[in-house]
Amino acid sequence: MHKVSRLPRIDGDLGWFETAPDRQIRLGKRLKGVHQFDVAIIGAGFTGVSLAYRYAEINPGARIALIDALQVGQGTSGRNSGFIIDLPHNLDAGKPDVEHDRRLYQLNTFAIERLRQFKNSLDINCSWLDVGKYMAAHEERNLSGLDSFIQTLKASNFEYEVVEGKALEKRLGTNYYRAAVYTPGNVLVNPSALIRGLAAGLPKSVSLFEESPVMACEYGSPHVLKFVGGTIKAKVVVQAANSFNEEFGKLSNRIAPVFTYASLTEPLTDKQYSEHFKAVQPWGVTSAHPAGATVRFTADRRIFVRNMLDFEPGLQSTQEGLHKAWMQHRRSFEARFPFLKSMAFDFTWGGMLCMTLNHEPVFKDAGDGVYLLGGCNGVGVAKGTYLGYYMADHMNGIKSDNLGFLLANSKPSWVPPDPFRKVGARLRLKYESGNAGGDI
Ligand SMILES: Cc1cc2nc3c(=O)[nH]c(=O)nc-3n(C[C@H](O)[C@H](O)[C@H](O)COP(=O)(O)OP(=O)(O)OC[C@H]3O[C@@H](n4cnc5c(N)ncnc54)[C@H](O)[C@@H]3O)c2cc1C
C-alpha cells in the first residue's frame, strides 16, 4: 500500500473562487463507504475534468469517479491567472522550431474551442473574454524578451502587433510599460468559475467527490483508493493531481513544483473608474521576463497581480510566504498604478506551477491500468484540457496525429531528488527573479 503524505491545502484567500458566481453550490459529495467504478480519476482540475468528459463521450456506459481533495475551483485550476493561451508561451518555451510551435498552437486552439463549446452549451458564467493578451516589458534590458517572442511569432506566421508609448498607456491605463506585443487569440476568464461550471455539467455517468483526499493507493486488480471512511475500487486509475502526482508512488524525478502567488484588489470605485479607466477595456499582461509579473484589469474592475516564485517542499504555503507575496504584490501594484495606492487587496493566495525541465508533459501509461498526467508548465488551462482529452483517446485506442505528437513529445527530463531539487530550484528562481528587475 502506498501512503500519501502531502495533501493540497487552501493556501490563502482564493480570489477567483470567492468571486465565482455559484461558489455556494455544492457540486460533489464527500466520499464515504465502499464504491466500485470502472475508472477513478484523482484530481478535478482542467486535466481530470477534461479526461472525464472525453472518456464518458467515448464510453457512455462507463462508471467514472472524479475525486478531489478540495472543492472544485479551489485547486490550482481555480487559482491561476485565468489566461487560456493559444500560442507557445515563454514559460512553456520548449523546442523552438516552427513545426513544433504550430502543433502546440493547434493543440491550444483545439482546447480553447472545446472549452468555449462547453461554456456556451452549459451557459457558464465565468467572465469569458476574447481579448487576446499583451506581453510587456518595463525594463529596457527585458525588451530582448519581446524580440525573441516576435521571432517565434514571425517564424510561424502568427498574428501580432507591437504597441508602445502613449498608445499602450491608452489601452492599459498605466504608463508603466515601455512596449508590448499584443496577440489576439488568448482568452481571459475567472478560472474558478470556468472549472466549476464544467464540473457542474458533467454527464450522469461521472460521480464527483469533493473534499475527499486520497490517503493511500493499493495497486492490484482492482486498484483500491483509500479515504477517511471510504474506499474506491477501480480497474483503471488516472492520476491527474498535478504537483501532487508523486504522492501516489508511480512518478518520481520528473516534476518540479514551483510556488507562485496572486492578489486581487477590491473593485474600482465609480470615481476611480471614470478618472483612469473609462476608455480602457479589460486586459491581461504577461511579462517579457519569465520571472516577471502577470497583471490583469478584470471585467468586474479589479486589478490582479501574480508574481514571486519559490520552492516549498511541503507543497503548501506558509503564512510568512503569503505575507511576503502580499508585500511584493503591493510594490508591483503601486509601481504600475501609483494613482490607486489607496486600493486594498481583497485576496492574496498561493498555488503551484508543476514544471518539467524540458517543458514536455507527463503523459504516461504506467501499466496495469494506471495512467499519469501533468507537468503543464504554467499553461495548464489549455494544456491540461488537451492532455486529458487525448489521454482518454489513448486509453481507448483512438489514434490521431495530435495523440501521436503528444506520445512522441512527452518525455520529461530527469529532475534530481530532494534536497538537490530544492537547492537547485531555489538558486535558479532567485537568479531569475533578480534579473527581472522592475518587471516583477
Ligand atoms: C498563480 C498561478 C497562475 C497561473 N496562471 C496560469 C494561466 O494564466 N494560464 C494557464 O494556463 N495556467 C496557469 N497556471 C497553471 C495552471 O493553473 C495549471 O497548469 C493547471 O491548474 C493544471 O491543471 P491540472 O488539472 O493538471 O491540475 P490542478 O488544477 O492542480 O488539479 C489537480 C487536483 O488534484 C487534487 N489533488 C491533489 N492531491 C490529491 C489527493 N491526494 N486526493 C484527491 N485530490 C487530490 C487537487 O486538489 C487539485 O484540485 C497558473 C498557476 C498558478 C499557481
Side-chain angles (χ1 to χ4, degrees), residues 37-40 63 220-223 233-237 367-371:
F37 286 96
D38 298 312
V39 182
R63 293 161 309 153
S221 184
H223 305 301
K233 297 180 179 174
K235 285 172 276 181
V236 174
V237 169
D368 300 325
V370 179
Y371 297 86

Side-chain angles (χ1 to χ4, degrees), residues 3-49:
K3 285 195 178 155
V4 169
S5 58
R6 295 175 297 181
L7 286 172
R9 299 272 185 259
I10 297 287
D11 298 309
D13 314 310
L14 306 180
W16 297 126
F17 180 81
E18 295 290 336
T19 56
D22 69 341
R23 70 186 180 288
Q24 315 291 4
I25 297 170
R26 179 99 208 169
L27 298 176
K29 42 185 191 257
R30 289 197 180 88
L31 189 130
K32 299 291 170 199
V34 178
H35 302 261
Q36 298 222 349
F37 286 96
D38 298 312
V39 182
I41 305 167
I42 308 173
F46 284 101
T47 307
V49 166

Side-chain angles (χ1 to χ4, degrees), residues 8-164:
R9 299 272 185 259
I10 297 287
D11 298 309
D13 314 310
L14 306 180
W16 297 126
F17 180 81
E18 295 290 336
T19 56
D22 69 341
R23 70 186 180 288
Q24 315 291 4
I25 297 170
R26 179 99 208 169
L27 298 176
K29 42 185 191 257
R30 289 197 180 88
L31 189 130
K32 299 291 170 199
V34 178
H35 302 261
Q36 298 222 349
F37 286 96
D38 298 312
V39 182
I41 305 167
I42 308 173
F46 284 101
T47 307
V49 166
S50 174
L51 191 135
Y53 266 106
R54 180 62 179 158
Y55 202 97
E57 261 170 31
I58 302 167
N59 300 287
R63 293 161 309 153
I64 301 167
L66 179 61
I67 306 142
D68 207 286
L70 305 172
Q71 286 182 48
V72 176
Q74 293 181 328
T76 319
S77 285
R79 298 184 197 183
N80 59 59
S81 309
F83 289 63
I84 319 183
I85 301 177
D86 56 330
L87 295 166
H89 187 54
N90 57 348
L91 268 177
D92 194 35
K95 297 170 188 168
D97 69 72
V98 171
E99 202 186 317
H100 191 88
D101 286 348
R102 289 214 70 87
R103 183 68 79 166
L104 287 182
Y105 174 76
Q106 196 184 321
L107 284 164
N108 288 335
T109 46
F110 164 78
I112 289 174
E113 290 318 309
R114 189 154 165 92
L115 291 172
R116 185 194 304 281
Q117 265 173 22
F118 284 128
K119 185 264 296 177
N120 289 341
S121 62
L122 299 169
D123 200 15
I124 301 174
N125 180 0
C126 61
S127 306
W128 178 288
L129 296 168
D130 283 286
V131 290
K133 76 173 190 66
Y134 297 85
M135 182 192 278
H138 166 76
E139 300 280 1
E140 186 150 10
R141 66 173 187 268
N142 292 334
L143 290 173
S144 60
L146 295 185
D147 292 339
S148 54
F149 186 46
I150 290 172
Q151 294 316 314
T152 310
L153 298 172
K154 265 190 182 157
S156 298
N157 246 339
F158 293 129
E159 192 183 340
Y160 71 94
E161 180 191 0
V162 176
V163 195
E164 294 172 298

Side-chain angles (χ1 to χ4, degrees), residues 195-211:
I195 192 67
R196 285 179 62 75
L198 292 169
L202 282 162
K204 288 216 165 9
S205 59
V206 182
S207 304
L208 175 64
F209 298 100
E210 294 184 294
E211 295 181 308

